[in-house]
Amino acid sequence: MITVLSGGTGTPKLLQGIKEIVNPEELTIIVNTLENDYFSGVYVSADLDTVLYTMSDIINDELWYGVKGDTFITHERLEEIGCPELLRIGDIDRATKIQKTQLMEKYGLAKACEIQARNMGIKSKIIPMSEEQSDIKIVSDIGELEFHDFLIKHQSKPEVLDVKFSKVSPAEGIIEAINNSRAVIIGPSNPVTSILPILSLEGVREALKNTYVVAVSPIIGCDAVSGPASKFMNALGIEVSSVGVAQLYEDFLDNIVIDDKDSNMESQLKQIINKVTITNTIMNNLGVKKNLAQTIIDSIP
């Protein structure tokens, strides 16, 4: 069994490669739920849905959000009648969210996700990190912002002073999945708002100490490959580099995968962890994704 800790952009790219070389039935994906919230009356779990769409081969892999080829009739009509949405939700995507909202009322988020994954033909196990509603605030130079307001309304432009999020309980099966895994892969998602919330769950760090953990750095040089991770890391006093990522995970990390361009950091990284794997981590086509996935799998003892 391989377990992957995932956010909603960098790690799904890697999952496209992993699912080509690993038996999907031997794969468990634990997904960040920190940013989940209700919009236009439906429950939006962006990272979960991105993983679901990735594993069922319908992801819009230009935006890494929503469904490929989706239409936006409902979204556009809401705008026309004076009910604009902060999030641009497609029609097929909205149907998924409506179903999830209804299923949650009866079963809870984890079971809803399980049902949707099965309906999409996904053989891997996808687990939300928590059943509990999270809360995240971005403290910025223009005030305290909701996460999606910072990301979408303000286009991640404000200076970030702090990131605050509530502590929640792990969903059933998370610790068991880690304990039963041959290895855990921490994907190249935002370390602060995607991975740290999972690591903050009770028992997760302790469980990770008892299995082999390999992390893919989402940082090249001194900047994130995508998204505002650099701003968040700076705000929390974490060095924006692969070294900073390794330090964030160092109490359980066995191996870090870094990009070729960061090969000069190898000696510094080896003062933190035992193993450093250097390869191309810019996942701009399926071939690179598969090669990166194979490199990671080959590095596992």
Side-chain angles (χ1 to χ4, degrees):
M1 180 70 71
I2 300 289
T3 293
V4 180
L5 307 189
S6 180
T9 302
T11 306
K13 291 180 182 180
L14 178 60
L15 287 170
Q16 284 186 323
I18 291 176
K19 72 188 188 72
E20 295 294 318
I21 62 172
V22 172
N23 181 350
E25 295 180 2
E26 294 295 316
L27 188 63
T28 297
I29 308 161
I30 298 171
V31 187
N32 168 50
T33 60
L34 180 66
E35 304 148 23
N36 294 9
D37 210 342
Y38 285 86
F39 294 88
S40 300
V42 296
Y43 189 72
V44 175
S45 51
D47 290 358
L48 268 173
D49 287 347
T50 296
V51 170
L52 286 168
Y53 297 155
T54 298
M55 298 303 290
S56 59
D57 295 320
I58 61 172
I59 184 69
N60 180 341
D61 53 11
E62 293 182 3
L63 300 177
W64 287 99
Y65 179 82
V67 176
K68 187 187 308 179
D70 209 348
T71 56
F72 294 87
I73 297 169
T74 304
H75 174 81
E76 290 163 2
R77 180 57 181 160
L78 285 169
E79 180 105 23
E80 288 171 3
I81 62 176
C83 188
E85 296 181 296
L86 179 63
L87 302 183
R88 190 168 186 260
I89 304 173
D91 298 312
I92 296 172
D93 187 21
R94 192 182 303 271
T96 303
K97 292 172 177 16
I98 290 171
Q99 183 196 39
K100 186 183 282 90
T101 305
Q102 294 177 345
L103 288 170
M104 282 175 59
E105 293 174 0
K106 185 174 183 180
Y107 299 112
L109 179 59
K111 184 66 175 179
C113 184
E114 179 187 330
I115 292 169
Q116 290 192 309
R118 184 171 64 245
N119 290 345
M120 293 181 190
I122 299 169
K123 296 181 179 179
S124 301
K125 191 169 186 178
I126 300 173
I127 310 176
M129 75 175 199
S130 181
E131 294 272 7
E132 299 174 4
Q133 186 61 38
S134 305
D135 185 43
I136 176 171
K137 303 291 185 186
I138 307 301
V139 182
S140 77
D141 59 343
I142 63 170
E144 191 170 275
L145 301 171
E146 298 291 338
F147 182 81
H148 291 94
D149 282 340
F150 170 81
L151 201 67
I152 299 168
K153 183 177 180 180
H154 296 284
Q155 297 292 298
S156 302
K157 291 178 181 178
E159 180 184 349
V160 179
L161 307 177
D162 196 7
V163 179
K164 301 187 295 185
F165 57 84
S166 57
K167 188 162 185 177
V168 293
S169 301
E172 185 178 351
I174 284 182
I175 304 302
E176 181 183 7
I178 294 171
N179 286 337
N180 292 339
S181 290
R182 171 188 167 205
V184 173
I185 300 169
I186 300 180
S189 293
N190 188 315
V192 174
T193 59
S194 292
I195 303 301
L196 196 55
I198 302 174
L199 301 181
S200 300
L201 299 171
E202 184 177 358
V204 167
R205 280 188 179 267
E206 287 304 311
L208 290 171
K209 291 176 183 177
N210 297 318
T211 189
Y212 188 87
V213 182
V214 52
V216 182
S217 175
I219 309 294
I220 297 179
C222 56
D223 202 5
V225 174
S226 64
S230 301
K231 287 189 171 187
F232 296 153
M233 291 174 73
N234 271 323
L236 297 188
I238 303 166
E239 180 182 322
V240 183
S241 70
S242 293
V243 171
V245 175
Q247 289 171 334
L248 189 62
Y249 306 153
E250 68 177 308
D251 56 318
F252 55 76
L253 189 61
D254 297 289
N255 178 17
I256 188 166
V257 180
I258 64 172
D259 192 75
D260 295 320
K261 298 182 183 69
D262 278 349
S263 59
N264 61 313
M265 295 184 183
E266 182 177 12
S267 59
Q268 189 177 357
L269 283 163
K270 283 191 172 179
Q271 295 175 29
I272 303 169
I273 55 173
N274 292 328
K275 188 170 183 180
V276 178
T277 301
I278 303 170
T279 189
N280 178 16
T281 64
I282 303 294
M283 293 178 283
N284 51 14
N285 61 65
L286 183 58
V288 174
K289 294 168 187 174
K290 288 172 64 175
N291 288 340
L292 177 56
Q294 190 67 63
T295 298
I296 293 167
I297 298 302
D298 289 346
S299 75
I300 299 170

